[in-house]
Amino acid sequence: MIKLSAPQCSFPMAIGSLSGLKMKKLYYIFFSVLLFVFTSRAQINIDFEATPVGTYTSASAVNGWTISSRTATSCNSTATWSLGSPEFSIIATPQSFLPNIGTLPNSPLGGTVVAQLNSYYSANSSVTRLAQTFSVTSLNAYIQFAYAGIWLSGTHSCCEQAGFKVLLYDQAGNPITCPSYTLAGAGCASIPTYTLSGNTSWTNWQIQSIYLQSYIGSNVTLEITNYDCTASDHYGTVFFDAKTSNCNCSYAPSNLPITNNFCAGSSLASIQAPVGYAQYLWTAPALYPISASQATLYSTSFTNAVVGNIYTLTVYPASPFCSFTSTFALANTSVSILGIGSNPSCTVGTSGSATVAAGGSGTGYTYTWTNSTNSIVANSPTLSSLAAGVYTVNITAAGAQSLSCGTATATTTVGTIPPGVIQLLKPFCGSEAYLSYPGGTNYQWYNNLSPITASLGGTASSYTVYSPINNSVYRLAYISNQNCHDSLKLTLVQVPSGNLSLASTPTICQGATNGTAVISMAPASGAPQGSNSFSVFSIGTTPPYSSTASSVSLNSFTAANLSAGSTYSVISFDGLCKYSTSFTVPFISFDYTLAPSNSPTLCTGNSIQASVTFSTLPNSGQYSYSWQPSTFLFSGNYPNAIISPSTNPGSVTTLTYTVVVTPTIANCPLTKTLSITIANPITPTINAIPNLCNSSNSVYTISANPIGGIYSNNAAITPNGILNGASAPIGQNTFTYAISIGTCIAKTAGTFTINSLPLISVSGNTLICEGQSTTLLANGANSYTWSNSSLSPFITINPSVTSSYSVEGKDILTNCYNSKTVVVTVEPYPVLSILGNTLLCAGQTTTLIANGASTYSWSNGFSSQAITVSPNVTNTYSIIGTSALANCSSTQAITVSVSNCNIVSIPNRNVDENFNIYPNPSSGKFLIESGNILSIVVSDELGRIILEDHFQKENYQLDLSAYSNGVYILKIFLNNEIKIVKLIKND
């Protein structure tokens, strides 16, 4: 809460109207008013113009005032006041760059210095009080004070907020109560004479008045107090100025000194109220209104002026609670001269000046100044750079009606004064004293009375004294701009130096070039106003930089566009002392990871935490966090956010979430993004699966919606939905179909039934002999189809060779098929053969061997495969051979011929000697042994010769292998003898 309390008492203004007075009387009143003001200021030192700019910490540092301080306390508690204050100063106006206010101009009460109670850059629960006790006279009974200030509001109660009070006490110490008002912050009472910006209440200059007529002859105490808040977190600063003047209390309110200026025949008039009141309100006749913007000015103009119109003026000395009213009748006036004066010039120069004050015209004035030679020298009310002489001014009203207002003329003399010595105290501090007096030519500096040579700077407009000595004297002789020979005597006075500090260097972002540094300089006591200079430049490896300000009245300087981490040097000068410091622009560098970082898929109904993680755990409040968008996201200004999506089935959405992490000490946002796919797969449906058979050809492709899912939990179904009935057990089976989006899965269970195949059997003889027929009968199904296209349950077949026959049987209930294949083996009749010698000589034995069957039955009763016979005569033997599989039988017979194997020959003893032939019978090869040379002839049973030969060897191989079995006749010739032998060939 910002509280401004001030006792207010109404009063009449003690200045009468000047219209109608003679020029001499006007001249007297004009300078009498100046005398009154001067006299009233002499009564008490209530303003601050006589005090040099600077910081004043002692109780009596400012003449006439007592300075004290204490710590702000909570409501209804008290604290002891200490003499002096660490936060009181006299400052020069105007002031720039003030918080909220911006530029604080000169005080509306006049002058260029004001008091400042408390700092506007430091909140430390400080309270500063400025007090003065004085005797009230008719010359100082009217007090006006002006104030401007800034007060921060917090969450404290009103009596604990920053605030400002103006109080009056009588000589007994009792508060003087008059109508008052309160200037308050947020949550407290307020009036519309201040501005509330956020949590800051502030105002530029306002004027208030106090009339102490009833206290004339007694003492009163004026007390001004300014507060920081009690919690040391909000400051309050007030800029204050005051003045006193006299008031003739015998004037009634109707005698307010209102003047008007209205030339006859003109439509433009102006009326003016006395200055110094807080508010003004003019009321015009209904037919001749004054615009709203003009009606609240102390001096107003209007174009519908009519002589005799009555205007009413209401003035408010300090607040709406105190006011008084006066009426005024508009009259024609003439141009008049209210006062004229001059200042002398040096003897040979042009340093004189003259000024004139005019009245009577509502349209303004034209001025014509002439010198003694009647030459026009100026056309303004004030002129300067005059040589000594007599000057005349002629004044008329401006505008078309200038002649109707008449003309006023006056003369003034600009005298001469001898050259004088201006004696000044020249404060200095440190090891250098800087002497200067700008404006002029022909400079010559003296060390006391010894001239300083030009080589040492003695003829420059300024001179620097190194290692100055307190109370030493330096002089300057020069010719001023008005051609006056002037001189200065400067006495060096050592004063404490001020100081240079870094008021603020906000932390900026790494790599940024928008850094600022506020350099604050507390000038040395007595430092000249407007002579401050600042220079900031880069040093070290910092990129080149330079920023300067010179000849300014500001005690602070802001260097901008500084680089993060760079180092700068500062040199400042207050007109007395040089100061230096250096600083490095602080910056912040940080990074973090945003998890998860793998662009996950999040299923509806689930949640995931997105989190900002630093390599080092940050302090609470070190960073602020901003998450976007807010869709499905619960965050706040925290490093973690929960994402809990809820979407329609079948939807897939990818959202990109952004987190902006900003350090609280610098606006260095670092943005990172996280993409999350939010999925809610629709629950799939499976189309009905018909009953299937447990068969290898029972393959079915399952269909489902949506497609693209995975089938599982059944070995008979492939992942893409191919169902093999042969791989599934008989009966009802289950499986699962799942659709997935990322890690999000929707499942449906399905069933199918597998029926067993009909068990097909075939009966009938499947082993037959060649040429036989058989009947095959199928069983186990309801309908049949044979491989020979027969649809009957049975078929009769007569295959010539072993053949396969298949039948497919169908169960009409399950629609399942099965088949059976049988092989009908056709056994051929055995092909019998009998081996053995079928040509025997009487008395010989032969073995007959049967082949081609499994079992045998001989006609002579034997059942063995081979029999031995020794027939005496030719005989035929038969055999029945039977196969092993089908008992198929065949018959075969063989005839064994019995011959008389005696040799018919012509006896020849020579042939018989050493003659032998063997074997006989044989398979066709006979060996003949003889010791003689023989000739042979072989013929068959029909007498046909098949071989003739002779041999001289002892052995002869007779080969009849190429001939068929049978009986052959061998004739042997030796000389005239013939020997005949019967040969039997039998394979």
Side-chain angles (χ1 to χ4, degrees):
M1 186 277 294
I2 300 168
K3 188 173 184 180
L4 173 62
S5 300
Q8 305 293 330
C9 303
S10 61
F11 64 95
M13 185 69 176
I15 301 176
S17 172
L18 299 178
S19 61
L21 296 177
K22 300 292 184 180
M23 181 180 300
K24 184 175 181 180
K25 190 172 183 179
L26 289 174
Y27 186 87
Y28 170 77
I29 293 176
F30 176 77
F31 286 100
S32 295
V33 171
L34 297 178
L35 178 62
F36 280 140
V37 173
F38 176 80
T39 305
S40 66
R41 286 182 177 264
Q43 299 301 313
I44 58 173
N45 183 28
I46 199 167
D47 66 3
F48 306 98
E49 297 300 319
T51 304
V53 171
T55 300
Y56 295 90
T57 59
S58 62
S60 57
V62 180
N63 186 28
W65 293 93
T66 300
I67 305 170
S68 56
S69 61
R70 64 175 176 84
T71 301
T73 57
S74 58
C75 301
N76 301 321
S77 63
T78 60
T80 303
W81 290 94
S82 300
L83 293 177
S85 171
E87 293 195 21
F88 178 85
S89 59
I90 301 298
I91 67 169
T93 57
Q95 288 277 322
S96 301
F97 310 113
L98 295 179
N100 295 94
I101 292 176
T103 297
L104 181 73
N106 291 332
S107 166
L109 301 182
T112 60
V113 294
V114 297
Q116 177 181 326
L117 284 69
N118 285 15
S119 167
Y120 55 82
Y121 49 81
S122 173
N124 53 16
S125 298
S126 175
V127 182
T128 298
R129 182 175 67 182
L130 189 63
Q132 181 169 170
T133 300
F134 59 92
S135 178
V136 181
T137 68
S138 60
L139 298 180
N140 61 20
Y142 177 48
I143 300 176
Q144 286 182 296
F145 65 90
Y147 70 94
I150 313 123
W151 300 273
L152 270 63
S153 300
T155 56
H156 320 297
S157 61
C158 291
C159 57
E160 294 177 331
Q161 301 271 22
F164 163 57
K165 291 194 302 185
V166 177
L167 299 175
L168 274 172
Y169 298 91
D170 62 19
Q171 60 187 11
N174 300 313
I176 298 175
T177 58
C178 288
S180 63
Y181 64 87
T182 299
L183 177 65
C188 303
S190 63
I191 64 168
T193 58
Y194 74 107
T195 301
L196 181 62
S197 301
N199 67 336
T200 302
S201 297
W202 62 275
T203 181
N204 213 316
W205 288 117
Q206 294 193 38
I207 301 177
Q208 305 298 330
S209 304
I210 304 172
Y211 184 46
L212 300 175
Q213 179 185 12
S214 59
Y215 293 91
I216 293 176
S218 65
N219 293 334
V220 297
T221 299
L222 175 62
E223 184 179 277
I224 303 96
T225 309
N226 190 77
Y227 302 82
D228 285 353
C229 78
T230 59
S232 298
D233 54 358
H234 301 98
Y235 66 78
T237 299
V238 71
F239 305 96
F240 183 81
D241 194 17
K243 74 174 183 178
T244 63
S245 63
N246 64 316
C247 240
N248 189 334
C249 301
S250 63
Y251 281 136
S254 60
N255 290 333
L256 282 173
I258 302 172
T259 60
N260 79 285
N261 298 285
F262 182 28
C263 296
S266 174
S267 62
L268 179 65
S270 67
I271 51 179
Q272 181 175 318
V275 298
Y277 291 95
Q279 298 179 42
Y280 299 86
L281 180 61
W282 296 95
T283 304
L287 296 178
Y288 305 94
I290 300 176
S291 66
S293 61
Q294 292 285 326
T296 56
L297 303 178
Y298 88 95
S299 178
T300 183
S301 297
F302 43 91
T303 58
N304 53 3
V306 176
V307 173
N309 279 354
I310 303 299
Y311 295 86
T312 301
L313 170 64
T314 302
V315 295
Y316 301 89
S319 73
F321 296 98
C322 301
S323 66
F324 39 90
T325 302
S326 182
T327 59
F328 172 76
L330 188 63
N332 284 133
T333 57
S334 298
V335 171
S336 61
I337 293 178
L338 303 179
I340 189 170
S342 65
N343 290 315
S345 171
C346 64
T347 305
V348 295
T350 57
S351 59
S353 62
T355 184
V356 66
S361 172
T363 59
Y365 305 93
T366 61
Y367 301 88
T368 303
W369 288 90
T370 57
N371 58 18
S372 57
T373 64
N374 206 31
S375 298
I376 298 176
V377 293
N379 298 105
S380 60
T382 300
L383 60 163
S384 59
S385 301
L386 298 178
V390 177
Y391 295 87
T392 301
V393 61
N394 183 275
I395 303 174
T396 61
Q401 282 74 35
S402 61
L403 296 180
S404 66
C405 248
T407 300
T409 301
T411 299
T412 186
T413 299
V414 175
T416 59
I417 57 173
V421 176
I422 302 174
Q423 300 192 48
L424 298 175
L425 297 178
K426 180 57 179 177
F428 76 93
C429 58
S431 60
E432 297 177 359
Y434 306 97
L435 313 180
S436 65
Y437 198 83
T441 58
N442 293 39
Y443 295 98
Q444 177 61 60
W445 290 94
Y446 296 82
N447 184 347
N448 200 357
L449 298 178
S450 300
I452 300 172
T453 63
S455 61
L456 296 177
T459 58
S461 60
S462 61
Y463 178 72
T464 300
V465 180
Y466 296 97
S467 301
I469 300 173
N470 192 37
N471 293 323
S472 59
V473 175
Y474 287 82
R475 303 174 188 269
L476 171 64
Y478 68 101
I479 298 176
S480 71
N481 291 335
Q482 287 78 35
N483 202 33
C484 297
H485 291 271
D486 291 334
S487 62
L488 294 176
K489 176 183 178 182
L490 303 175
T491 301
L492 302 187
V493 178
Q494 188 171 17
V495 297
S497 67
N499 62 79
L500 180 68
S501 62
L502 198 65
S504 67
T505 307
T507 301
I508 62 174
C509 310
Q510 184 180 24
T513 58
N514 63 337
T516 60
V518 179
I519 291 69
S520 178
M521 178 175 65
S525 177
Q529 293 297 310
S531 299
N532 295 342
S533 64
F534 300 86
S535 177
V536 179
F537 54 92
S538 55
I539 59 177
T541 59
T542 299
Y545 176 88
S546 177
S547 180
T548 61
S550 60
S551 300
V552 296
S553 59
L554 303 177
N555 290 338
S556 65
F557 175 71
T558 300
N561 302 321
L562 304 176
S563 299
S566 296
T567 302
Y568 300 87
S569 180
V570 182
I571 296 176
S572 67
F573 178 56
D574 62 7
L576 290 181
C577 301
K578 282 185 178 179
Y579 311 95
S580 64
T581 186
S582 63
F583 65 90
T584 300
V585 179
F587 67 91
I588 185 169
S589 174
F590 71 102
D591 196 8
Y592 61 88
T593 57
L594 179 59
S597 60
N598 57 348
S599 300
T601 298
L602 182 59
C603 311
T604 292
N606 295 336
S607 297
I608 193 171
Q609 176 174 287
S611 59
V612 171
T613 304
F614 296 88
S615 58
T616 302
L617 186 66
N619 298 325
S620 176
Q622 186 174 351
Y623 298 95
S624 65
Y625 308 86
S626 176
W627 296 85
Q628 292 293 333
S630 60
T631 307
F632 310 133
L633 184 139
F634 304 91
S635 61
N637 187 23
Y638 299 104
N640 300 321
I642 302 299
I643 303 171
S644 299
S646 175
T647 59
N648 295 326
S651 64
V652 180
T653 304
T654 298
L655 290 178
T656 299
Y657 290 94
T658 298
V659 61
V660 181
V661 179
T662 305
T664 53
I665 64 172
N667 185 26
C668 303
L670 179 58
T671 301
K672 293 191 177 183
T673 59
L674 165 67
S675 292
I676 294 182
T677 299
I678 298 170
N680 187 4
I682 192 170
T683 301
T685 58
I686 303 172
N687 295 332
I689 302 173
N691 292 341
L692 301 176
C693 304
N694 187 21
S695 159
S696 60
N697 61 354
S698 191
V699 177
Y700 181 80
T701 300
I702 304 172
S703 62
N705 185 41
I707 63 175
I710 300 297
Y711 297 85
S712 61
N713 297 331
N714 194 300
I717 303 176
T718 63
N720 59 347
I722 306 300
L723 170 58
N724 186 350
S727 302
I730 304 300
Q732 190 177 66
N733 292 262
T734 61
F735 66 94
T736 300
Y737 179 68
I739 289 293
S740 63
I741 301 175
T743 58
C744 303
I745 301 174
K747 297 181 179 180
T748 294
T751 62
F752 63 91
T753 300
I754 299 296
N755 293 313
S756 60
L757 302 180
L759 185 59
I760 305 299
S761 65
V762 177
S763 60
N765 188 9
T766 59
L767 184 60
I768 62 174
C769 296
E770 186 176 6
Q772 292 180 338
S773 62
T774 184
T775 298
L776 300 178
L777 176 62
N779 290 286
N782 302 113
S783 64
Y784 305 92
T785 301
W786 289 90
S787 55
N788 62 359
S789 301
S790 175
L791 300 179
S792 172
F794 63 89
I795 57 173
T796 299
I797 54 175
N798 183 15
S800 59
V801 295
T802 298
S803 301
S804 296
Y805 297 89
S806 62
V807 62
E808 184 180 77
K810 177 182 179 182
D811 188 326
I812 61 175
L813 293 179
T814 63
N815 203 33
C816 289
Y817 293 82
N818 205 353
S819 63
K820 182 71 175 179
T821 300
V822 295
V823 177
V824 177
T825 303
V826 176
E827 183 76 15
Y829 288 101
V831 177
L832 299 177
S833 65
I834 302 173
L835 300 178
N837 190 3
T838 59
L839 295 177
L840 298 176
C841 296
Q844 287 184 330
T845 300
T846 185
T847 299
L848 302 177
I849 301 173
N851 289 293
S854 178
T855 62
Y856 303 92
S857 176
W858 292 90
S859 58
N860 62 359
F862 289 95
S863 58
S864 60
Q865 182 178 4
I867 62 172
T868 301
V869 296
S870 181
N872 293 320
V873 294
T874 297
N875 196 5
T876 298
Y877 298 92
S878 61
I879 188 172
I880 298 173
T882 304
S883 63
L885 296 177
N887 294 322
C888 300
S889 300
S890 297
T891 301
Q892 182 71 308
I894 188 170
T895 300
V896 179
S897 298
V898 178
S899 300
N900 183 9
C901 296
N902 292 329
I903 301 174
V904 178
S905 65
I906 299 176
N908 189 329
R909 187 175 299 162
N910 292 326
V911 175
D912 292 335
E913 289 181 358
N914 299 322
F915 178 84
N916 189 22
I917 184 170
Y918 62 91
N920 187 24
S922 75
S923 60
K925 292 182 178 183
F926 300 91
L927 182 63
I928 301 174
E929 294 178 351
S930 175
N932 299 309
I933 300 172
L934 299 178
S935 298
I936 60 173
V937 176
V938 180
S939 58
D940 60 15
E941 287 183 312
L942 298 178
R944 293 174 293 187
I945 295 174
I946 60 173
L947 177 65
E948 286 182 315
D949 200 2
H950 66 274
F951 61 90
Q952 295 179 355
K953 297 180 180 180
E954 291 182 353
N955 296 317
Y956 179 78
Q957 179 74 44
L958 177 60
D959 188 359
L960 300 179
S961 301
Y963 300 95
S964 62
N965 294 338
V967 177
Y968 294 88
I969 301 300
L970 173 64
K971 292 180 179 181
I972 305 168
F973 299 92
L974 179 63
N975 297 325
N976 294 319
E977 293 181 358
I978 301 173
K979 184 176 179 63
I980 300 173
V981 178
K982 187 181 287 187
L983 300 176
I984 298 174
K985 178 183 181 295
N986 189 352
D987 292 336

